[in-house]
Amino acid sequence: MTSVRPSVALDPARPDDGAAVRGARWVTAAWLAVGALNYGYALVLTRLLDVGAFSTFAAGQGLLLCAATVAAVAIPWVLAQAMARATSPEAAREAIRFAMVVAAAGGVVAGGIVAAVAAQFATAGPVAVLGVATFLVFLTRVSAGRLQGSERMRTLSCALTGEAAVKVLVGLLFVAALGLGATGALAAFGVAAASLLIWWPVRAMRGGTGRWISPGTQHDLWRRALQLGTVQGLVAMMATLDLVVITLLPAGGPATASYQAGVMVGRAPLFVASALSVAFFPALSRQRGGTPLAASAVRMYLIVALPLTAVCATAPGAVLHVVFPPGYEAMGRLLMFTAVSGLAVGGINLVSTFFQAVNDQSCVPRQAIGVLVFLGAVLVGWRLGGVQGFALGGSVGAVAALLLLVHLLIRRQGSGAFAEPSLVEPLLVACVLVALRPVPVVWLVAAVATSALAAVRFLRHRAHPPTARASARTAADGPAPGAGDDDAVGLLLDAVWHHAPRPAGDEELHRALAVARRSGTEGLLALAYPGQLAETAAEVRRRDAAFRDTVCRARQRLHDAGIDSVLIKADVPGPNLVGDADVVVPDGRWAAAERALSSWCGGPRDRYWLERRSKVFLRPPSGPEIHLHACVSWFGVPVLPNSALFAHAVPADGRPWPEPRPADRLRIWLAHALFQNLSLDLSELLAIRPLLEDERVTEQARREAAREGWGHAYERALRTAREAVERLDRGERVPLPVRLTVPVSLGVAVEHTPHLLRQGRVGAAAREAALRIPLVVAKRRKKEDA
């Protein structure tokens, strides 16, 4: 049986990482400017509008933000991703035309929904204005998507900043000069959105041949729009749900306005996360999940978001009284909680982007649960503590929702996105600001200095590979490869997993060959490049012929001795360089089989002390080593009974030796992972992949595993293997080997040991119970040392 191989992180870092980081600076600067303009706009409106009108404006703005968030993903993000992946100008034009159709149709539907919701708390004027403004927001997101997809981040930044500036100027004109109140303040959003029509892609409406949008492209883009819109719609609900709910509760005007103003201040990290998502999304869409680029996005978010949260959460009441007019006194008690929830909601936005970039919809159930947890937390908080309890519940619910999503991201893409997040410095800054809070002037100086330092660090951030410390912290994902290794991994996957070898230079190909040796796929790569890897391909053919000859000779010698045999291969599928021949003989014939083969091999016989009564290593004069097994077992713990194995074994694929049936092969692969390696490497996933395509095979294997006393462990291992195969098929990042979790690794013994006891195999049961924990600890330690 095989041993654990070094892990391989399948995630090539792209050369456009630096461009994404530079774009992130531009877009984040623009969003911070937009945020400053929005906050200034809101602050001025707190003085120009009475408390009731401001509450209507805040709730309406929340609805517009929710609609704009969905529009900003369902339209420009789909367009940006399609343009980033487009293989021809016509494909890009089709994507633009599709975005136009979705923008117009989506604007009509979203405008009606927003107006219907607004009718619950506003009069006819604000309701009509919100409906029209929502339509214009949807319509003009095509312009933003075109700029984002072509990665013209500087132009996009100027356009977004200009849109915010127009909104402030027009809104102040409508409210201060014309006296239109909340209606005028909300109407400014629509006027500002219309300014983006300057970049409307009119030329894309002309040109091309045949259909305006091809059916294949249309279906694919509709699917992406629905997926992205669903994910971001749930993010938008997290960002605005409390703003709307608080208006529907009998909290009183001043308390409601204080909370809404506190949310507007505390949600500053959400603007940072949104900006980073916009800037990084095109580059992330060209990569697999969990890349160093994702880690750069997380670090850039924390560089700015943590200091902003610390500043908002510790703001003294004296400073708030200067900034906000009378009627907002409760903000001092609420801002600490709204700042924490703002940091969490921003994190949810960014983490969701990592799923969206690789078209992974597995986050949707977790997001939906997070929204429900958030809603339940604010309502419970309201019941227990009024508005302050509402704010506390919001912070707890948002953090819980973030943790749910982060946990799933680590399971799906590994922990590479969270390499080297520094939390010590932000905690020290927060402690300093808390200590200075009783002295507002000194606190203000410290807050300005903290914000300035964060801005400088953000602007000076560079894309770089993880350091040694980061590599140690992400050992679960395998060693962090250099750029050359990353390209080699991509080349290897294209050749052996996707069966689409691409042109490669000799240097790149030999790096891929080194990676293939570590993942057990050297022979498959050599056969994919028989010209450039001629020597290795020739060696593959020679070793494969020797393998066949050795197995045939061994089977014939056993047959002459009256002993049946089955070849079980827990090694490389197909041609290989280092594969062993694992042979099982019937019950009671193992000693006789050893004697029959020993006279032929003649060389030394080896035994591993934990398997000395069930396995022997024999070395023929030529060819691979023969591992002779008394049964399918690991460390002397029997798993598959010989009776079933031999009853169904038949020659397969024209080979002259009997092999297990598909259901038995699948159980052998998964049992090998559960009872010995506690992981699955790339070669093993290649062998399992075709077996997963037939539900009859997986169901038959499930029934047999249940009878053999490890049915639940089989289900968990099968789920792990299926998820890894599906992610590799989608081109996503999969840290290899795919490791089974500690609960699964320990749980198989908890389930299987009682089965052995019921069968009267007390010695085997004792061995399994005694070895399981040391095995798990040893494998975990080996992983950490890798």
Side-chain angles (χ1 to χ4, degrees), residues 29-74:
W31 281 63
L32 289 176
V34 169
L37 289 170
N38 284 334
Y39 288 137
Y41 185 47
L43 288 175
V44 173
L45 290 179
T46 60
R47 300 181 179 276
L48 296 178
L49 300 175
D50 58 43
V51 170
F54 181 81
S55 180
T56 300
F57 163 77
Q61 181 180 244
L63 284 175
L64 276 174
L65 176 61
C66 183
T69 304
V70 175
V73 174

Side-chain angles (χ1 to χ4, degrees), residues 5 519-521 524 571-573 669 681-688:
R5 293 183 176 91
S519 61
T521 54
L524 298 176
D571 215 325
V572 185
W669 286 114
D681 72 5
L682 181 60
S683 66
E684 292 165 334
L685 291 173
L686 280 165
I688 290 174

Side-chain angles (χ1 to χ4, degrees), residues 10 288-290 358 360 362 408-414 493 497-498 720-735 738:
L10 299 182
R288 300 178 179 92
V358 295
D360 186 355
S362 64
L408 179 63
L409 182 71
I410 293 174
R411 283 182 52 196
R412 301 286 291 180
Q413 300 183 15
L493 283 179
W497 189 271
H498 299 290
T720 299
R722 194 187 297 277
E723 289 179 356
V725 168
E726 290 175 350
R727 290 176 59 193
L728 284 170
D729 286 342
R730 293 195 299 264
E732 296 180 22
R733 177 185 190 274
V734 176
V738 176

Side-chain angles (χ1 to χ4, degrees), residues 541-559:
R541 288 187 287 269
R542 188 185 70 78
R543 294 286 184 92
D544 192 55
F547 179 90
R548 291 171 177 270
D549 180 68
T550 298
V551 171
C552 288
R553 286 175 180 269
R555 178 176 180 271
Q556 186 61 46
R557 286 186 173 271
L558 292 172
H559 183 269

Side-chain angles (χ1 to χ4, degrees), residues 183-474:
T183 303
L186 294 171
F189 286 88
V191 177
S195 66
L196 290 181
L197 290 174
I198 297 173
W199 288 278
W200 182 264
V202 178
R203 293 184 180 180
M205 300 175 67
R206 303 187 297 269
T209 58
R211 294 177 179 267
W212 208 54
I213 306 173
S214 67
T217 300
Q218 190 177 42
H219 178 269
D220 183 55
L221 292 175
W222 271 115
R223 177 178 56 82
R224 291 188 203 172
L226 180 61
Q227 291 176 347
L228 292 172
T230 300
V231 172
Q232 203 62 26
L234 291 169
V235 174
M237 287 184 67
M238 282 292 302
T240 60
L241 185 63
D242 54 339
L243 284 171
V244 176
V245 170
I246 193 69
T247 62
L248 304 177
L249 296 174
T256 298
S258 294
Y259 178 80
Q260 291 170 326
V263 168
M264 291 179 185
V265 175
R267 295 282 157 88
L270 178 60
F271 288 98
V272 179
S274 299
L276 291 170
S277 298
V278 168
F280 278 83
F281 183 72
L284 287 170
S285 296
R286 290 191 292 267
Q287 302 192 17
R288 300 178 179 92
T291 64
L293 182 60
S296 288
V298 171
R299 286 194 294 271
M300 292 184 79
Y301 174 68
L302 295 179
I303 284 172
V304 177
L306 289 175
L308 283 178
T309 301
V311 169
C312 293
T314 60
V319 174
L320 296 176
H321 292 159
V322 172
V323 177
F324 292 90
Y328 295 85
E329 289 79 7
M331 276 191 64
R333 300 189 303 273
L334 304 176
L335 199 52
M336 176 175 61
F337 304 119
T338 59
V340 173
S341 63
L343 177 68
V345 171
I348 290 171
N349 188 318
L350 189 60
V351 171
S352 299
T353 301
F354 299 150
F355 285 100
Q356 292 168 300
V358 295
N359 301 116
D360 186 355
Q361 289 296 101
S362 64
C363 63
V364 171
R366 291 286 184 102
Q367 284 186 288
I369 293 172
V371 170
L372 294 177
V373 168
F374 180 70
L375 178 60
V378 296
L379 292 178
V380 170
W382 164 260
R383 174 71 65 179
L384 297 177
V387 175
Q388 189 167 353
F390 188 93
L392 173 59
S395 63
V396 172
V399 171
L402 174 61
L403 293 177
L404 282 172
L405 210 54
V406 168
H407 176 262
L408 179 63
L409 182 71
I410 293 174
R411 283 182 52 196
R412 301 286 291 180
Q413 300 183 15
S415 59
F418 304 100
E420 237 181 337
S422 177
L423 300 178
V424 176
E425 183 178 332
L427 289 175
L428 291 176
V429 169
C431 291
V432 171
L433 292 175
V434 169
L436 297 177
R437 198 166 184 261
V439 189
V441 175
V442 180
W443 177 93
L444 187 60
V445 172
V448 171
T450 298
S451 302
L453 178 61
V456 171
R457 292 181 61 195
F458 180 87
L459 295 174
R460 294 179 63 183
H461 179 78
R462 297 288 185 272
H464 58 84
T467 63
R469 182 162 64 92
S471 299
R473 295 184 63 175
T474 57

Side-chain angles (χ1 to χ4, degrees), residues 66-86:
C66 183
T69 304
V70 175
V73 174
I75 299 170
W77 281 33
V78 173
L79 178 55
Q81 189 176 68
M83 292 178 67
R85 297 176 177 176

